[in-house]
Amino acid sequence: MHLTRLVKIQLAVFAAIALIAVGIMAFGYIQLPTMLFGTGQYTVTVQLPQAAGLYPTANVTYRGTEVGRVADVRLTDHGVDAVLDLKSGTSIPSDLTAAVHSTSAIGEQYVALTPLNAASRPLHDGDVVPVSRTSVPPDINNLIAAANTGLKAIPQDNVRTVVDESYTAINGLGPEISRFVKGSTSLAIDAKNNLDALTALIDQSAPVLDSQTQTSDAIGSWAAHLATINGGLRDQDAAVAGLLEKAGPAADEARALFDRVQPTLPILLTNLVSLGEVGISYRTDLEQLLVLLPQGIAQEQGTEVANKIGKQDLRGQTLSFNLNVNLPPPCTTGYLPASQIRSPVETDVPDRPAGDVYCRIPQDSWLNVRGARNIPCETKPWKRAPTARMCESNEEYVPLNDGMSWKGDPNATLSGQNIPQPRPAGPGTQPAPAALPPPVAFAEYDPATGTYVGPDGRIYTQANLAQGAAEGQTWQTMLIPPNAN
């Protein structure tokens, strides 16, 4: 029989397709190399208390995915050993549990592997899962026998009543029961996805439960106190009800009050914050003031209240009119010169001098001992300075003169410093203003001797100002610098 070329090509194509199909069936579906040589798999033995209907070729799952089959189920002295053939491509933690489950009521058991610690080493060929980590389903015969026993315990006359009452209880609850079942299913799926975290939570809950056990007395005391509080609330039910009824209107009134004071309250609170910061800085001074103030008031009351002892009638404090002029004399050093002093009749409000104005004589001078120069620094009690800026800086107080001349040195001719004292320059501060030209000084002189007190506090004598001077008294001679005595 002669075959045409087309027939030969068709037969060759059919033979190639048949070989490919047989290869796919042998290697892909039947897995012939695995059956004959055991390649691509490893063996793990699971110790079970009983067979529970498990049979060879049953499926083995890991987290719901098939990872192998049961190769053999054999009887041993301690129970039953199930030999599992697992695929090498799936990494299964060795710290796990093996449970036999049933897919239906008529059998078809399978082995479900559940990991306890995903960080444990993977299973290897020859590993054994002990019986302490395995479980089997209950015997169906025992379940049926228990169900029959339970049904026999119910009186036959009341079975209809139980069925009717059960129907009444769940009648019309189909959507709710369906929603409950769906929610339970979603909860079970989420629990399965977070199995490792749930397992760790259960394993680590023991210390928490132990702490609850150890603090049972404290919990009992807390419950007793709570019962006391609840009893008090029950006894004062009317007052509590009144409070709840009036709390809403009271809150509305408080809100309305805050709305009315809204323009000024924030400013007040802001100022109180600043005041609080100052109070914190001067806390020790305020404490000392609170300690001494009551004693001072008591002493003032003791001296001001009239008292009569025997024939003596004490009228309390008395007022003396002794005039102590310039004792001690006022301090003018560090203030504006006489030519820049404003007249008391002026009523305008000019800017204050650019600098710090205070009595700038030595700190140990007997003049103005309570002046700003002797104020102790709050953060540095060992240092005295007139300003907080000088307290916080490394600058030391420098007087203008020796403090013995009560009229001071208004032109700063001894120390060369400007008046008022310029503030130290810092970040963002304006530059110090330029020094003003020395003002013209005025002084009264004695016409008999021609002596007067200069701006620096020293005594000078100009002979041509005295009466009977040999030289002529002209305005030009009065401008000539005098000779110091």
Side-chain angles (χ1 to χ4, degrees):
M1 180 178 179
H2 179 70
L3 299 177
T4 61
R5 180 180 179 85
L6 178 61
V7 173
K8 292 180 180 181
I9 293 175
Q10 292 176 346
L11 290 176
V13 172
F14 177 76
I17 294 174
L19 290 175
I20 293 174
V22 171
I24 293 174
M25 183 179 296
F27 292 95
Y29 181 73
I30 302 178
Q31 296 183 353
L32 188 60
T34 301
M35 295 177 60
L36 297 178
F37 309 105
T39 59
Q41 64 183 11
Y42 59 95
T43 302
V44 175
T45 302
V46 176
Q47 296 178 352
L48 301 172
Q50 57 184 4
L54 190 65
Y55 54 88
T57 69
N59 290 334
V60 179
T61 63
Y62 170 66
R63 291 185 173 180
T65 303
E66 182 181 348
V67 294
R69 293 183 179 275
V70 178
D72 188 15
V73 179
R74 52 177 178 263
L75 186 65
T76 61
D77 296 336
H78 54 76
V80 175
D81 284 351
V83 181
L84 310 182
D85 287 340
L86 304 179
K87 299 177 182 179
S88 301
T90 303
S91 178
I92 303 175
S94 59
D95 189 5
L96 50 77
T97 60
V100 178
H101 296 288
S102 178
T103 58
S104 64
I106 60 175
E108 299 183 10
Q109 279 76 7
Y110 68 97
V111 179
L113 302 179
T114 303
L116 298 177
N117 185 5
S120 60
R121 67 170 183 82
L123 286 173
H124 297 310
D125 185 38
D127 285 348
V128 178
V129 180
V131 68
S132 60
R133 295 190 177 184
T134 61
S135 63
V136 295
D139 188 4
I140 188 63
N141 296 325
N142 295 332
L143 291 178
I144 295 176
N148 290 331
T149 303
L151 291 176
K152 290 178 180 180
I154 301 175
Q156 298 297 325
D157 296 339
N158 296 335
V159 173
R160 182 181 298 276
T161 303
V162 173
V163 174
D164 293 340
E165 293 297 332
S166 300
Y167 173 79
T168 303
I170 63 175
N171 185 28
L173 298 178
E176 287 75 9
I177 295 177
S178 176
R179 186 165 56 252
F180 175 76
V181 172
K182 290 180 179 179
S184 302
T185 303
S186 301
L187 180 62
I189 294 174
D190 294 339
K192 182 179 179 181
N193 296 333
N194 299 276
L195 184 61
D196 296 339
L198 292 176
T199 304
L201 177 63
I202 295 173
D203 293 340
Q204 298 175 6
S205 61
V208 179
L209 298 178
D210 293 340
S211 64
Q212 298 298 316
T213 303
Q214 295 171 1
T215 58
S216 58
D217 297 338
I219 295 176
S221 301
W222 177 80
H225 296 330
L226 183 61
T228 303
I229 295 174
N230 291 334
L233 293 176
R234 180 190 57 201
D235 298 338
Q236 302 296 329
D237 181 70
V240 175
L243 176 63
L244 296 178
E245 292 176 356
K246 297 178 181 179
D252 295 337
E253 292 295 333
R255 186 182 300 106
L257 175 62
F258 283 113
D259 292 339
R260 288 195 299 268
V261 299
Q262 185 176 5
T264 57
L265 182 61
I267 300 176
L268 175 61
L269 296 178
T270 303
N271 295 335
L272 290 179
V273 171
S274 302
L275 181 61
E277 295 176 353
V278 175
I280 293 175
S281 301
Y282 292 90
R283 177 179 57 85
T284 55
D285 305 80
L286 295 176
E287 292 177 355
Q288 186 69 9
L289 178 62
L290 294 177
V291 171
L292 298 179
L293 185 60
Q295 300 179 4
I297 294 176
Q299 294 176 1
E300 290 292 332
Q301 290 176 346
T303 58
E304 292 177 359
V305 176
N307 189 13
K308 186 174 184 180
I309 303 176
K311 296 181 179 180
Q312 297 180 356
D313 188 6
L314 304 180
R315 300 296 182 178
Q317 291 183 349
T318 59
L319 180 61
S320 175
F321 289 93
N322 295 330
L323 298 180
N324 297 323
V325 180
N326 288 341
L327 186 64
C331 174
T332 59
T333 302
Y335 296 95
L336 294 175
S339 61
Q340 299 181 17
I341 296 178
R342 291 169 48 80
S343 173
V345 300
E346 297 180 0
T347 59
D348 58 340
V349 186
D351 296 334
R352 61 167 294 171
D356 297 323
V357 181
Y358 57 91
C359 180
R360 293 169 60 186
I361 59 178
Q363 292 176 326
D364 57 353
S365 174
W366 68 286
L367 299 176
N368 194 21
V369 294
R370 295 184 178 88
R373 70 188 190 283
N374 286 330
I375 297 177
C377 294
E378 187 65 26
T379 58
K380 301 176 182 179
W382 63 89
K383 182 179 180 181
R384 294 177 298 163
T387 61
R389 185 182 293 105
M390 187 178 294
C391 282
E392 299 300 329
S393 65
N394 296 327
E395 182 184 3
E396 296 294 337
Y397 173 75
V398 178
L400 281 180
N401 56 28
D402 56 5
M404 299 306 296
S405 178
W406 67 271
K407 286 197 173 182
D409 183 13
N411 294 325
T413 57
L414 299 181
S415 62
Q417 298 186 33
N418 296 324
I419 298 175
Q421 182 180 12
R423 299 186 180 95
T429 59
Q430 298 294 332
L436 298 176
V440 178
F442 301 89
E444 296 181 359
Y445 68 95
D446 186 359
T449 60
T451 59
Y452 62 92
V453 179
D456 56 355
R458 298 181 180 182
I459 299 177
Y460 297 88
T461 300
Q462 190 167 345
N464 58 358
L465 296 178
Q467 295 178 359
E471 300 178 1
Q473 298 180 2
T474 63
W475 66 270
Q476 291 89 347
T477 59
M478 296 180 64
L479 297 180
I480 299 175
N483 296 323
N485 289 341

